[in-house]
Structure formats: structure tokens, C-alpha cells
Amino acid sequence: MKDIYSYFLLIRPLNVLVSGLAMTISAAILDSLDQKIMVILIALVVMAYTAAANSINDVFDLKIDKINRPLRPIPSNNLNKNKALIFSFFLFLAGSVLSLQLPSKAYFISIVVSMPLIVIYSTHLKSKPLIGNITVSFIVGLSFIFCGTALGNVYPMWTPGLLAFGLTLIREITKDIADLEGDQIAKHNTYPILYGIKGAIKLISLLSCVVCLVALVPYFNNTYNDWYLIILLIGVEIPLIIVVLLLVKNQTISSAILSSKILKFSTIMGLLAIYIGSL
């Protein structure tokens, strides 16, 4: 039972559930919820890959997590890292087998593009300044393109994909500030380590301005209705402003941790804004 609970914590169940919810909302945006089997398959593939990514990431982050997240299953010695790696392999396998039930372009995205990128990120790119952040953001954004491809309607997914990319990129840099101590010990060259917390906050502020402005474009070109603007302002724009002000006023790791949680909430709110705004 202890091992089962450790595996459960390893995959970060909340993140996995959010990824499945994101695909369900995406299907709703495409007005495709009636394709129940397809939607379930899409959600399960993305959830399996998310769980696998979280697992393999913890395997290669052991040294960092001993400092930043000592209570996680592997650094706390509740789970052997070799077992976690095997578990990750089977999660990738399960996601890949499920994706083979989808159209060929969709399983190409998952098996040939996303899965290798997840592995390469965890093994080689995580410590690279911005490159690792952009890779993770690209994978998250690509999940929406994957959903659109599987359901045969890609175009409406570009907006949520780009919004998810931008918000994830901001969140990843914010998480690098939060992980500063462990990354320094592991000798990772993340952006905050190379350019300092102040430099990272300046970049976060710039990216937040870009995301705020670009996210308004679909409203002003009449792609989405007034509800899109209202939910976007409440769930994305205002939280981004709060994150920037929080980081500028209090340039600490604790502020970065709180900001990261706020940004996770904003991604879901952005999806809701697109869904309700498209009705």
C-alpha cells in the first residue's frame, strides 16, 4: 500500500487531472463532446503522458528535489528511482498504445514528437536556460493541437495552444526562481541562476505584458464574445498583473512558489474563457 501511495504522489495527480480536464474543455470548444470515445481516448493519452513526464522528471531531479522537495516520493526514500523509471516507461507505453487508436496525424504528434521531447527535456534540456522552459511550454501547447488533430478540427485550437504556451513559459521561469537553491547545487544553468532573480522577474514581466496583449486579440477581432473578455480579465489578465507585482515587490523564492500556483489556475481560466466566449 505504501508503494501504491508513493506512485500516486509521483504522478502529481492534480496535474494529471488538470491535463485531462483541459482536453475535455478543448473538445467542448470544438463542439465534439458527442464523440465520447474519442474524447476519452484523447484525455487518457494526455493524462498518461503527463503522469509519465512527472515520473521521469522526478527520477532525474533527485539531487534537486532533495533540497527543493524533500518530501517527494523519491528523495524521501519512499520509492526507488529505478521503480519510478520503469513506472514512467509503462505510462508512456500505455499512452502510446491508446494514441494508436486515434487518427495517424494525432498519434504522430504524441509518439514521434511529444514523447521524445518529454524524455529529452528531462535528461538534457531542463538545465538549459530558456531552452528547457520553451520545450515544456511547447509540449503543453502542442497537446491542444493534438486534441484538434484527433477530432479533425485544428484551427480553433491554435488560440488555446498559444495561450497555454505563453502562460506555461511564464510559469516555468517562475518555477526556476522557486527552485533556485536546488538548481544551484545541481549546477544547472537556469535563467535565474545566469541572470539573477531580478533578471528573471524582468523577463516574466515582459512575457506577461505580451500574453496580456495577445490574449485580447481574439476579442477585438470578434472571434469570441464579451464573456471571453470578462473571464479573461478575471482569470488571466488580473492574475498575471498580481504575479508581476508580487514578484517585483517581494523578490523571494516563497513569492515565486505562490506565483506558480496562481499561474496554474490561470491556464484553466483561459480555457474556460475560450469555451464560454465561443458559445
Side-chain angles (χ1 to χ4, degrees), residues 75-117:
S76 64
N77 294 319
N78 287 324
L79 189 65
N80 180 279
K81 70 175 186 178
N82 290 328
K83 287 183 178 179
L85 192 61
I86 293 169
F87 184 54
S88 177
F89 169 79
F90 280 108
L91 287 169
F92 276 126
L93 180 62
S96 299
V97 170
L98 288 170
S99 73
L100 289 173
Q101 314 307 311
L102 300 172
S104 58
K105 289 181 180 179
Y107 71 68
F108 177 87
I109 290 173
S110 60
I111 297 173
V112 180
V113 182
S114 294
M115 183 168 60
L117 279 177

Side-chain angles (χ1 to χ4, degrees), residues 16-263:
V16 173
L17 287 173
V18 167
S19 69
L21 176 62
M23 293 302 99
T24 305
I25 295 173
S26 297
I29 291 170
L30 296 174
D31 197 24
S32 299
L33 287 178
D34 57 321
Q35 300 182 48
K36 294 178 182 178
I37 301 300
M38 289 291 285
V39 174
I40 291 170
L41 280 172
I42 292 164
L44 288 175
V45 169
V46 173
M47 289 170 73
Y49 274 27
T50 301
N54 290 336
S55 302
I56 194 173
N57 189 63
D58 276 16
V59 170
F60 287 95
D61 271 1
L62 177 57
K63 187 184 291 187
I64 298 169
D65 285 345
K66 283 182 178 179
I67 305 298
N68 295 331
R69 299 175 186 85
L71 298 180
R72 293 287 301 159
I74 301 176
S76 64
N77 294 319
N78 287 324
L79 189 65
N80 180 279
K81 70 175 186 178
N82 290 328
K83 287 183 178 179
L85 192 61
I86 293 169
F87 184 54
S88 177
F89 169 79
F90 280 108
L91 287 169
F92 276 126
L93 180 62
S96 299
V97 170
L98 288 170
S99 73
L100 289 173
Q101 314 307 311
L102 300 172
S104 58
K105 289 181 180 179
Y107 71 68
F108 177 87
I109 290 173
S110 60
I111 297 173
V112 180
V113 182
S114 294
M115 183 168 60
L117 279 177
I118 291 169
V119 175
I120 292 169
Y121 165 77
S122 295
T123 56
H124 294 90
L125 299 180
K126 184 176 174 63
S127 62
K128 308 295 182 185
L130 287 185
I131 296 174
N133 305 131
I134 291 171
T135 302
V136 171
S137 305
F138 176 77
I139 293 167
V140 173
L142 190 62
S143 65
F144 296 93
I145 306 303
F146 164 75
C147 180
T149 302
L151 293 170
N153 191 9
V154 178
Y155 181 74
M157 287 292 97
W158 281 105
T159 298
L162 289 171
L163 182 60
F165 172 86
L167 289 171
T168 304
L169 182 56
I170 295 168
R171 183 168 181 263
E172 285 298 311
I173 298 169
T174 304
K175 283 170 62 181
D176 281 347
I177 297 175
D179 292 344
L180 189 64
E181 292 179 2
D183 285 339
Q184 285 175 327
I185 291 172
K187 296 181 179 179
H188 283 185
N189 292 319
T190 60
Y191 196 92
I193 289 175
L194 288 181
Y195 300 101
I197 292 178
K198 285 186 178 180
I201 292 172
K202 287 180 181 178
L203 180 58
I204 289 167
S205 301
L206 175 62
L207 290 171
S208 296
C209 289
V210 172
V211 169
C212 283
L213 291 172
V214 172
L216 292 172
V217 172
Y219 173 74
F220 287 109
N221 67 11
N222 297 316
T223 301
Y224 302 126
N225 61 35
D226 290 344
W227 281 108
Y228 170 79
L229 180 64
I230 294 169
I231 299 171
L232 183 77
L233 289 173
I234 295 171
V236 178
E237 308 267 333
I238 292 174
L240 279 174
I241 293 170
I242 291 171
V243 164
V244 170
L245 292 176
L246 183 64
L247 290 172
V248 169
K249 185 177 180 180
N250 190 15
Q251 300 179 8
T252 61
I253 289 174
S254 59
S255 293
I257 293 171
L258 176 58
S259 297
S260 177
K261 292 177 180 177
I262 293 171
L263 290 166

